Amino acid sequence: MRMAKTVQQRLDKAGCDYDIVPHPHSATSLESARSAGVPAERVAKSVMLDDRHGHYLMAVLPANRHLDMSKVRATGPWQLTRESGLPHLFGDCERGAIPALGDAYEIKMLLDPTLTRQGDIYLEAGNHDYLVHMSMDQYLKLVPKAEVREVC
């Protein structure tokens, strides 16, 4: 699988220009950046949060940065979601390879502005072996509901 079905459908529907970047199997977004030889500040890392009441939030930040929970909690009572709770949200993705496309999965997104200042972006394709690469303009068309807000 080069890409999760939901990701492929979203890209096709939007008519986006993108490249697929293969890389050696990796466990984290930061490892993906290193193994693919791309700048970590351009790789989108998705961190899932929930409010313990069935609502989810996807925080998207550069792979080389850390989530600042105090900034996220300013938007609500969010906590980190246990990975065991994610398969039902991302059933077409490998565990731990969440694409930074909350809109495609009907999940609210917070997008750190350090990513939006990049000319292009790489995101997990829904597995641990490929990244999707596109211009930032193309990406922002895919996530029109994303709230740009500092989260790291």
Side-chain angles (χ1 to χ4, degrees), residues 17-152:
D17 292 324
Y18 63 90
D19 301 313
I20 299 294
V21 180
H23 60 82
H25 189 85
S26 60
T28 67
S29 297
L30 188 55
E31 278 183 36
S32 295
R34 289 178 181 148
S35 66
V38 299
E41 64 270 11
R42 293 184 185 165
V43 176
K45 171 172 65 175
S46 301
V47 180
M48 292 302 300
L49 305 140
D50 67 76
D51 66 357
R52 294 187 190 224
H53 299 289
H55 301 103
Y56 293 90
L57 177 68
M58 178 184 287
V60 179
L61 55 149
N64 62 343
R65 304 286 302 271
H66 295 286
L67 184 67
D68 183 335
M69 286 302 294
S70 66
K71 291 179 180 178
V72 174
R73 286 194 180 113
T75 69
W78 302 106
Q79 64 177 6
L80 292 173
T81 301
R82 293 185 185 123
E83 197 165 311
S84 62
L86 296 177
H88 75 283
L89 296 174
F90 303 97
D92 61 345
C93 298
E94 291 178 10
R95 190 174 182 151
I98 299 170
L101 293 172
D103 286 12
Y105 291 90
E106 299 181 12
I107 297 170
K108 182 180 173 184
M109 283 178 63
L110 297 179
L111 178 61
D112 195 88
T114 56
L115 271 175
T116 64
R117 290 191 288 266
Q118 302 295 324
D120 59 348
I121 189 170
Y122 297 82
L123 50 133
E124 299 286 355
N127 58 55
H128 296 283
D129 303 298
Y130 295 94
L131 293 171
V132 177
H133 172 238
M134 66 184 66
S135 72
M136 183 54 65
D137 290 340
Q138 293 285 302
Y139 177 70
L140 291 174
K141 287 179 188 176
L142 288 173
V143 294
K145 297 177 187 174
E147 179 183 343
V148 178
R149 177 187 202 96
E150 287 189 25
V151 294
C152 54

